[in-house]
């Protein structure tokens, strides 16, 4: 069976309406993009995000792709877990509807990957301005190399990101379906370079590493990206852009739209920011610290970040990472870099070290986690302040707060209902670099 000519697959659709693109418009556009190949396909691999990207629109798109393709071919689904815990049957049903659970394949970032080569140290040194001088191994899930797949469809949301600068595109492959070496290396590269320097930017050092790996190691894969740009409207989340194709230009178009829709500039930093973490989406500080990453450039020196985290019940997504977070804590960039040099367990898990750097304010502002399931001593043990969730929502009730500025008992509070949907930044700070 001849694989499709993926170079001919390309489409971009955007919407200027308040509610974004309708489900019908999205499904029709995808059918149009794949129309010349649907009847010829015999086996397809879909790579969507997991439950932590439930608002990406990828669940609906994956359902439609399955119904569209399942009539004539075998469809396997490999959620891009990265380091996250596997999805449960219930989570798959919540995000992907009636797709049979048996079609889902679990990605294990420690065991299921093959090494394709490496991004040379001299290239990494060049793109990081000499800050990071190590080669980065290129590893992906072995399923992507299975020649029986006629087509691989990578589905996901382009949005500002704390490691890559802008999420998705080849990140979905090299991190979402990647191995420990690539994940550790790129996370540490981003942490060394500085997340405030790269968030919301396209050509970050990490993205350039992904581009190198794409061009040199997976160019021949029958891979097509389906990218969304999502922004909130009222109580829902609208898809304002759909970009389908392998060529990088589709990612760049998505980045441009995401910059317009997902970066919320403020004219000043705020003394108090309150962020709510949906309990279905955020169950660990590994994920929940998006509340820190995405708002830190909007918080004043000496200010307070209050994180309402009803679902957070652990720190890491797996037992090893959880132990490392509990052992070392969010104690600041320089302290973590020193510990990496002296401790083999941290040196062997650089993604954890990078996470600890990202999750610290470096004493610039205070971070308070308001939890139901983690105890006071647990939260304070990793370097955060603690406040009981049930008491916190009496002061900062998500049902009463509106995104943006609020007056709470005479105090100015800036509220963010979902940090995964954007980046909040003081304009001066964002453009300082």
């Amino acid at each position: 069976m001849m694989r499709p000519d993926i170079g001919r697959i390309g489409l971009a659709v955007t919407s200027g309406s308040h509610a974004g693109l309708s489900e019908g418009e999205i499904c029709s556009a995808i059918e149009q993009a794949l129309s010349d190949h649907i009847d010829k396909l015999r086996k397809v691999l879909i790579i969507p995000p997991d439950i932590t990207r439930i608002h990406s629109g990828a669940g609906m798109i994956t359902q439609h792709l399955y119904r569209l393709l399942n009539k004539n071919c075998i469809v396997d689904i490999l959620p891009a877990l990265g380091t996250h815990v596997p999805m449960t049957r219930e989570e798959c049903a919540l995000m992907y509807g009636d797709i049979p659970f048996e079609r889902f394949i679990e990605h294990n970032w420690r065991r299921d990957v093959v090494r394709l080569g490496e991004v040379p140290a001299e290239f990494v040194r060049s793109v990081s301005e000499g800050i990071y001088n190590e080669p980065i191994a290129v590893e992906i899930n072995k399923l992507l190399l299975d020649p029986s797949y006629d087509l691989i469809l990578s589905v996901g949301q382009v949005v500002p990101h704390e490691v890559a600068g802008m999420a998705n595109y080849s990140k979905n492959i090299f991190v979402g379906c990647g191995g420990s070496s690539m994940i550790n290396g790129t996370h540490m590269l981003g942490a060394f370079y500085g997340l405030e320097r790269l968030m919301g930017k396209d050509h970050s050092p990490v993205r350039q590493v992904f581009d190198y790996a794409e061009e040199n190691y997976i160019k021949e894969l029958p891979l097509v990206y389906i990218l969304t740009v999502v922004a909130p409207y009222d109580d829902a989340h609208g898809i304002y852009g759909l970009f389908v194709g392998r060529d990088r230009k589709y990612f760049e178009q998505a980045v441009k739209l995401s910059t317009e829709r997902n970066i919320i500039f403020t004219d000043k930093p705020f003394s108090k920011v309150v962020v709510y973490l949906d309990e279905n989406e955020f169950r660990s500080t590994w994920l929940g610290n998006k509340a820190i990453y995405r708002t830190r450039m909007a918080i004043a020196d000496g200010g307070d970040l209050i994180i309402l985290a009803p679902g957070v019940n652990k720190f890491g997504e797996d037992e090893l990472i959880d132990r490392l977070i509990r052992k070392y804590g969010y104690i600041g960039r320089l302290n973590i870099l020193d510990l990496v040099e002296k401790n083999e367990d941290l040196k062997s898990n650089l993604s954890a070290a990078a996470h600890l750097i990202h999750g610290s304010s470096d004493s610039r502002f205070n971070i308070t986690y308001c939890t139901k399931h983690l105890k006071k001593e647990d939260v304070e043990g990793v370097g955060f302040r603690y406040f009981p969730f049930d008491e916190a929502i009496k002061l900062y009730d998500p049902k009463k707060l509106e995104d943006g500025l609020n007056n709470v008992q005479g105090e100015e509070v800036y509220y963010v209902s979902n940090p995964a949907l954007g980046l909040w930044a003081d304009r001066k700070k964002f453009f300082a670099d």
Side-chain angles (χ1 to χ4, degrees), residues 78 105-114 140-143 177-178:
L78 180 72
I105 301 170
E106 177 187 326
H107 168 69
N108 186 301
W109 67 299
R110 300 188 190 277
R111 296 196 309 265
D112 295 343
V113 298
V114 293
I140 61 173
N141 190 292
K142 57 191 175 186
L143 267 184
C177 299

Side-chain angles (χ1 to χ4, degrees), residues 70-219:
N70 185 51
K71 302 170 186 175
N72 299 314
C73 69
I74 297 169
V75 180
D76 292 329
I77 301 171
L78 180 72
L81 293 176
T83 59
H84 301 171
V85 296
M87 293 180 69
T88 64
R89 182 183 292 270
E90 291 73 24
E91 287 172 339
C92 285
L94 176 64
M95 187 162 179
Y96 305 116
D98 58 0
I99 298 176
F101 186 64
E102 294 70 28
R103 300 319 311 159
F104 292 89
I105 301 170
E106 177 187 326
H107 168 69
N108 186 301
W109 67 299
R110 300 188 190 277
R111 296 196 309 265
D112 295 343
V113 298
V114 293
R115 178 175 173 142
L116 304 180
E118 68 178 26
V119 180
E122 54 267 30
F123 180 86
V124 178
R125 181 174 64 250
S126 173
V127 299
S128 67
E129 302 170 5
I131 293 171
Y132 197 70
N133 189 27
E134 299 289 338
I136 296 177
V138 179
E139 305 163 321
I140 61 173
N141 190 292
K142 57 191 175 186
L143 267 184
L144 277 76
L145 303 179
D146 185 339
S148 68
Y149 288 114
D150 306 311
L151 184 62
I152 300 171
L153 296 170
S154 174
V155 186
Q157 177 189 2
V158 174
V159 67
H161 191 267
E162 54 277 1
V163 175
M166 281 288 189
N168 225 269
Y169 187 50
S170 51
K171 175 185 176 290
N172 213 38
I173 305 301
F174 296 120
V175 173
C177 299
S180 58
S181 295
M182 173 61 99
I183 294 172
N184 284 331
T186 52
H187 278 66
M188 207 62 194
L189 168 61
F192 273 43
Y193 188 77
L195 80 165
E196 292 188 8
R197 294 181 66 191
L198 58 78
M199 281 191 298
K201 314 286 177 60
D202 178 0
H203 298 282
S204 70
V206 175
R207 177 58 67 186
Q208 290 182 72
V209 166
F210 293 154
D211 286 347
Y212 182 100
E214 164 102 13
E215 179 65 24
N216 288 277
Y217 295 111
I218 65 167
K219 193 173 182 179

